[in-house]
Amino acid sequence: MNNASVIIDKEFQSLIPPLSPEEKTLLEENINAEGCRDALITWHGILLDGHNRFEICQRLAIPFRTMDVDLPDRDAAADWIDKNQLGRRNLTPDQMSLLRGRRYNRAKKTKAEAGSMGGSSKGQNDTCLPSTADRLAKEHGVSPATIKRDGKIASFLDEHPEEAKEVIQGKKKLKDVKKKIKSSEAKKSLVVAQERISNEARKSIELVCDIRHCSCAELFTTNITPDAVITDPPYPKEFLTLFTELSESCAKAKVPLVAVMSGQTYLPEVMQMLCKHLKYRWALAYLTPGGQAVQQFPVKVNCFWKPVLLFGEAVDWIGDVCKSQTNDNDKRFHDWGQSESGMSDLIERLTKPGDLICDPFLGGGTTAVVSLALGRKFVGCDIDAACVEKAKQRVEASWK
C-alpha cells in the first residue's frame, strides 16, 4: 500500500500503550531481517494497529500490507484498538485497567444510546442479554466488580487527559496520578474557600464565626447543622457527664462526623457514654512529640499521645495518626489548650473546605481560629464567659 494512503489519527494513536525501547529495537531488527510479515490494520484508511511497524517501514523503505476492518463508527474503532491492545503481554496492570475501563464505558454508552432509541441493536430484550460488566469480565478473565472499578478509573482519567496519557505510556502509576490530582484539586478548593471566608470575614466576622456563651446542649437546641464536631472536652472525672451531653446533642442533630479528643484515665467510661448515642467508627492517635509528655503518676506513664474517638459513617479514606508539631504545646489562651498545628491536622484530615465546624467546648478558641484559616466556617460555645470573650478577641485579631 502507498504510504500516503495510510492516515495517522492522533486521537487513536494516543490510545495505544507504546513499546519499550528494547521492544521497538527488536521489532526493527525483525522487520529489517524478515520484512513486515503482518498486515497493518486500518479503518477507512486510518491506522488502528501497526503504528510502530508503519514508522519503521516508512523510514527503511520496506514494503507493507494493509487490511481494512469494517466498523460502524469511531467509538467502535477505538474499542477495537483497546481490545486488540489488551492481547499484548507487556502491559502494566494500570494500562490493562485503563483499557478495560474504556471498553466498559464505551459499551455502557452504546447500550444507553440504543435503549433511548427504543431497544437493543439486536432487537432483543435487555434482560435476555448478559450485563456489560459480565460480558467484558468473561472476555478478559476478571470479575465484573473489577470491570466496574476499571470503568471508574477510566472515567476519572477522562477528566485529566494529560495524566491519562502518562498512565497509558507507562510513565506513571495510577495511584501516583490519583494522589497528585487529588492533592491539586484539594489545594484549589482550599484557596477558593479561604478567599470566600476572608471576604465574608472582612464584612463581618459573625458571618463566618459564631461563638456563644452557653452549654453544649443549649447550643444544639438552636438547630445548628454542622458538618462536623471536632472538640476537646475537659478530662477530669467531675466533667464526665459532658460526654453524655455531647453524644446526645450530636445524635439529635444528626451530625455526620464527630471527633472527640479524650484523656485515657477514664477512657472506658468516655467510650460507653459516647457509644450509647453515636456510631463508633475508629480511634485516631493524636501524637504530641518532643517535650510535651504528660506524666500520669497514678499509672506511671509518660504520655506522648491521646485518642481522638471518631463517630459517624465512613465516607472518605483517612489515616489514623495525626499530630501536633514538636514541642508545640500552646497554653497561651487556655490551660488545656491544644496546638494550632495539631488541630490543623485534625481539621484537614476530617473535613473539607467550606464545611461548618463545631466545637461546643471552645476553651481558648483554637478550633475556631484554625477552622477559619483553613476555609471552614465555625460555630462553638463555652460555659465560661471569660473564655468566650478571649476566644472572640483571638479570632478577631487573626483577621486584622
Side-chain angles (χ1 to χ4, degrees):
M1 185 174 184
N2 191 308
N3 291 351
S5 301
V6 175
I7 303 169
I8 301 297
D9 186 296
K10 294 296 184 182
E11 181 184 348
F12 284 166
Q13 188 176 24
S14 69
L15 299 176
I16 301 172
L19 297 177
S20 67
E22 295 79 10
E23 290 170 329
K24 192 167 183 179
T25 297
L26 181 59
L27 177 63
E28 182 168 334
E29 289 174 354
N30 289 339
I31 291 176
N32 205 19
E34 304 173 9
C36 187
R37 296 180 298 177
D38 298 322
L40 279 58
I41 307 301
T42 60
W43 172 65
H44 297 309
I46 300 173
L47 192 58
L48 301 185
D49 179 55
H51 289 79
N52 291 294
R53 284 175 285 145
F54 176 69
E55 185 275 325
I56 292 169
C57 290
Q58 197 174 36
R59 176 162 43 84
L60 301 180
I62 296 174
F64 60 87
R65 297 177 295 108
T66 64
M67 183 174 71
D68 210 60
V69 292
D70 182 21
L71 299 168
D73 52 36
R74 285 186 65 87
D75 279 349
D79 189 64
W80 187 97
I81 291 172
D82 285 339
K83 181 178 180 181
N84 182 63
Q85 291 299 315
L86 279 163
R88 289 170 51 178
R89 298 180 180 179
N90 61 337
L91 297 181
T92 67
D94 285 347
Q95 289 171 328
M96 294 180 70
S97 181
L98 178 53
L99 293 174
R100 290 193 303 256
R102 290 196 309 217
R103 295 202 69 207
Y104 176 63
N105 291 343
R106 281 195 211 99
K108 281 204 307 178
K109 176 186 173 184
T110 300
K111 189 173 183 179
E113 290 173 347
S116 68
M117 295 174 65
S120 69
S121 58
K122 294 182 179 181
Q124 293 176 297
N125 190 310
D126 284 344
T127 59
C128 298
L129 300 171
S131 73
T132 301
D134 289 340
R135 176 175 61 80
L136 290 174
K138 184 176 181 180
E139 186 173 333
H140 296 298
V142 296
S143 69
T146 296
I147 293 293
K148 292 178 181 178
R149 182 208 64 188
D150 293 339
K152 291 179 181 179
I153 290 171
S155 295
F156 173 79
L157 288 176
D158 280 346
E159 299 174 4
H160 306 278
E162 289 303 314
E163 302 294 345
K165 182 178 178 181
E166 294 197 300
V167 171
I168 203 64
Q169 290 178 345
K171 294 180 179 179
K172 286 188 178 180
K173 292 184 178 180
L174 181 61
K175 64 177 183 178
D176 296 330
V177 166
K178 292 177 72 174
K179 185 176 180 180
K180 176 184 174 182
I181 292 172
K182 186 175 181 180
S183 175
S184 175
E185 290 178 343
K187 288 178 181 177
K188 291 178 182 177
S189 178
L190 176 59
V191 169
V192 171
Q194 286 174 322
E195 184 176 353
R196 184 171 60 251
I197 292 291
S198 180
N199 289 338
E200 293 185 23
R202 290 191 186 97
K203 296 175 184 176
S204 173
I205 193 67
E206 285 79 14
L207 292 173
V208 294
C209 184
D210 182 1
I211 295 177
R212 310 180 196 179
H213 177 213
C214 65
S215 69
C216 171
E218 290 169 335
L219 177 67
F220 278 92
T221 59
T222 61
N223 297 321
I224 61 170
T225 55
D227 296 292
V229 166
I230 299 178
T231 190
D232 181 26
Y235 305 156
K237 187 175 183 179
E238 60 266 31
F239 297 109
L240 282 177
T241 56
L242 294 178
F243 290 93
T244 296
E245 182 179 333
L246 173 65
S247 64
E248 289 178 342
S249 298
C250 290
K252 288 178 182 177
K254 298 181 179 180
V255 181
L257 182 147
V258 180
V260 184
M261 196 172 288
S262 172
Q264 298 195 63
T265 303
Y266 302 105
L267 186 57
E269 292 88 341
V270 168
M271 284 290 294
Q272 184 177 16
M273 292 173 179
L274 293 173
C275 290
K276 185 176 181 179
H277 301 283
L278 300 173
K279 180 180 179 180
Y280 174 74
R281 178 180 172 188
W282 203 252
L284 281 65
Y286 178 86
L287 308 184
T288 53
Q292 304 180 68
V294 177
Q295 291 183 302
Q296 300 289 353
F297 287 98
V299 290
K300 294 183 173 59
V301 173
N302 290 320
C303 185
F304 289 91
W305 76 284
K306 62 181 69 178
V308 176
L309 307 173
L310 189 61
F311 300 87
E313 297 294 339
V315 178
D316 296 320
W317 285 89
I318 60 169
D320 63 358
V321 177
C322 50
K323 65 178 182 179
S324 71
Q325 293 177 0
T326 303
N327 299 324
D328 200 27
N329 274 338
D330 188 353
K331 309 301 179 185
R332 293 173 297 162
F333 305 97
H334 196 284
D335 289 341
W336 296 336
Q338 297 299 330
S339 69
E340 291 187 13
S341 62
M343 194 55 66
S344 293
D345 191 351
L346 267 177
I347 290 173
E348 283 193 294
R349 188 179 300 271
L350 299 177
T351 68
K352 293 181 173 61
D355 281 354
L356 175 62
I357 310 303
C358 175
D359 185 351
F361 302 99
L362 182 63
T366 301
T367 312
V369 170
V370 171
S371 295
L372 298 179
L374 293 175
R376 282 81 165 162
K377 293 186 178 183
F378 179 80
V379 60
C381 67
D382 202 282
I383 59 172
D384 188 328
C387 284
V388 169
E389 185 58 32
K390 188 179 291 186
K392 287 182 176 179
Q393 292 175 0
R394 182 180 178 187
V395 168
E396 290 171 357
S398 70
W399 289 98
K400 290 181 179 179

